[in-house]
Amino acid sequence: ISIRDDGNLDDVNEYKVPQENPDYSSPIIFETSAQSISIPYAESLLHAECDGAEVNCEIFPYSSQQAGEAPCRTSWFMATLQLSSGISVTLVLQSPHCSSQEEEHDATLHPKLRIPMSKEGTVLTTVEFQSSSRNTSLYTHLGSSVTLDCRFALAPSSSFSSLEWRRQHRGSGRSLFQYQVGSTGPAVQPKVHVDVAELLGSGDASLSLQGVSVGDEGTYICLVSTLLHQAQHIIQLHVAEPPRVRLVPEVVSFERGVTTTLTCNIAGYYPLDVSVSWTQKTPEDDMEIPLSNARFSSHRQSRDGTYSITSYLSISSATAQAPATYSCHVSHMTLAEPISVSAHLKAPEQTGSEGLVGGFIATIIFIVVVFNVLKRRAAEQKSEQLLRASE
């Protein structure tokens, strides 16, 4: 395949076949050329190892065409290439055929497949039809728009026949879009759109989905057909919505003999799995202390398909320490880190009656002190007077 030389290709080693002249038990090695079709993401495939990506390749027989008892036959294979980055490429491969008895005699045939192979023992094929997608899995938010990428290219000997998009979810499936060459055009459907002009002009079969809802989640299949072959791409569409978290009340005043309940409301999240935990921290604590006495409501589902749950934490004045901070922590797959909201427990304050009693006691003490001081001074003055009289 044609690769843009960015100056790094001089160090690429030439591929060497592990074993020449294979026998019936030897591994089958395919050598494929793309002479009339460009291979998408060729640079990504070439530099996959350098980029730390993994490539998965599968090749299986598609069909064979054989005339009479001729030993040389034309075979078709389907190859799928998938990168760990999400790129997927499907290739329909054709083996060369022998057009005359002379070519049959001169051709070196693979012992197992009975199709022509090179001098090095590789099975020779050419790409006649390719389709690709840059995503095998997508995440999107509620109400957003998303494009499911699907493209194809054909050799001059092949012609486009039809396109169909299907959606499958939880055991049921339905057709979203259909187009047949020569038909009047696809029926207009809400939310989904394929640009037919781009489809016929450049092979862009991508599906646009508007106003995504929870009900749009599922497996989408792009099926491109020619008169002889079909190729499909499977794209998983996931809906993900982060939770909204609110804690009430935010400030709690400490009162003796009273139990206060903190309420942590978690709402609007999808999918269902969510983790909620509570912690406590006082000025004397170096770190937050996990709490295990929280209560939870059951999961509730809204009309838009999102979920909500409520967690309760009871704080008793008999066991609580004030001041303190109580936090509700929420984890969900849509969050890079948990959401934490906090409520503050204030230290106890003196009530009005306690203040009066304290003021009264302080006044009595002050009066007693003043009385003792005055009494002492009076005694000292009287002693001085008696001393002067005796003199």
Side-chain angles (χ1 to χ4, degrees):
I1 57 178
S2 299
I3 296 292
R4 176 177 51 86
D5 188 354
D6 56 2
N8 297 324
L9 298 182
D10 293 338
D11 298 331
V12 176
N13 295 327
E14 291 292 334
Y15 176 75
K16 295 186 180 300
V17 179
Q19 178 182 353
E20 295 185 4
N21 301 320
D23 55 25
Y24 195 86
S25 61
S26 301
I28 303 174
I29 301 175
F30 286 83
E31 181 176 343
T32 300
S33 62
Q35 300 173 353
S36 58
I37 296 180
S38 62
I39 302 299
Y41 312 109
E43 282 80 6
S44 298
L45 290 168
L46 178 67
H47 300 296
E49 185 174 355
C50 299
D51 297 337
E54 295 183 358
V55 180
N56 180 51
C57 176
E58 294 182 354
I59 301 178
F60 52 91
Y62 192 97
S63 65
S64 297
Q65 296 177 354
Q66 183 173 356
E69 301 297 328
C72 182
R73 62 187 179 184
T74 298
S75 295
W76 298 84
F77 299 90
M78 181 77 74
T80 59
L81 304 170
Q82 289 190 337
L83 273 72
S84 55
S85 60
I87 294 174
S88 174
V89 180
T90 298
L91 306 174
V92 175
L93 309 178
Q94 179 186 20
S95 67
H97 64 279
C98 303
S99 59
S100 65
Q101 292 183 354
E102 182 179 351
E103 290 185 9
E104 291 180 8
H105 178 75
D106 294 338
T108 303
L109 305 182
H110 191 276
K112 182 183 296 186
L113 301 179
R114 304 304 299 169
I115 58 178
M117 63 180 184
S118 67
K119 296 180 180 180
E120 292 79 17
T122 60
V123 175
L124 298 173
T125 60
T126 58
V127 179
E128 297 296 313
F129 174 21
Q130 67 85 1
S131 64
S132 66
S133 177
R134 64 172 176 266
N135 299 108
T136 54
S137 181
L138 283 175
Y139 283 87
T140 190
H141 293 290
L142 289 176
S144 64
S145 299
V146 65
T147 298
L148 306 181
D149 183 64
C150 183
R151 303 167 187 271
F152 68 92
L154 303 172
S157 58
S158 301
S159 58
F160 171 67
S161 175
S162 65
L163 168 69
E164 182 180 12
W165 275 95
R166 297 186 60 85
R167 173 184 171 270
Q168 294 182 345
H169 190 55
R170 296 179 179 176
S172 63
R174 68 185 184 94
S175 179
L176 300 176
F177 178 90
Q178 285 183 312
Y179 178 77
Q180 185 81 30
V181 172
S183 64
T184 57
V188 177
Q189 297 190 32
K191 298 184 64 171
V192 299
H193 175 71
V194 173
D195 191 327
V196 176
E198 290 294 327
L199 172 68
L200 300 178
S202 63
D204 186 352
S206 301
L207 179 77
S208 298
L209 188 62
Q210 308 293 326
V212 174
S213 65
V214 169
D216 294 320
E217 191 175 52
T219 301
Y220 288 76
I221 302 173
C222 173
L223 183 62
V224 180
S225 301
T226 69
L227 296 177
L228 294 177
H229 306 103
Q230 288 183 337
Q232 70 176 24
H233 284 279
I234 297 176
I235 303 174
Q236 302 289 340
L237 180 63
H238 305 276
V239 176
E241 197 68 21
R244 304 184 302 273
V245 184
R246 182 169 178 257
L247 181 61
V248 291
E250 296 181 356
V251 178
V252 179
S253 297
F254 188 93
E255 297 183 29
R256 297 187 182 279
V258 176
T259 298
T260 301
T261 299
L262 299 178
T263 303
C264 186
N265 294 309
I266 306 102
Y269 57 89
Y270 189 90
L272 178 64
D273 293 337
V274 68
S275 175
V276 183
S277 61
W278 290 85
T279 58
Q280 168 192 297
K281 190 175 188 299
T282 65
E284 292 78 20
D285 297 327
D286 295 330
M287 57 188 303
E288 294 180 317
I289 300 174
L291 302 175
S292 59
N293 57 333
R295 295 176 288 113
F296 294 89
S297 70
S298 59
H299 285 280
R300 303 176 296 273
Q301 190 168 22
S302 305
R303 290 185 177 181
D304 63 359
T306 60
Y307 295 96
S308 62
I309 194 174
T310 304
S311 181
Y312 307 93
L313 181 69
S314 297
I315 303 174
S316 173
S317 60
T319 56
Q321 297 180 356
T325 299
Y326 292 86
S327 300
C328 174
H329 308 278
V330 178
S331 299
H332 190 256
M333 62 162 295
T334 57
L335 303 173
E337 57 185 22
I339 296 177
S340 298
V341 290
S342 301
H344 304 283
L345 179 63
K346 298 172 61 177
E349 298 179 355
Q350 292 183 340
T351 62
S353 58
E354 292 176 341
L356 291 175
V357 171
F360 177 75
I361 294 175
T363 302
I364 295 299
I365 295 174
F366 177 76
I367 292 175
V368 170
V369 171
V370 172
F371 176 77
N372 289 334
V373 171
L374 294 176
K375 183 178 179 180
R376 185 179 302 166
R377 287 183 178 179
E380 291 176 353
Q381 291 177 357
K382 187 174 181 180
S383 298
E384 291 177 357
Q385 291 176 358
L386 292 177
L387 181 60
R388 289 175 183 175
S390 62
E391 291 177 353

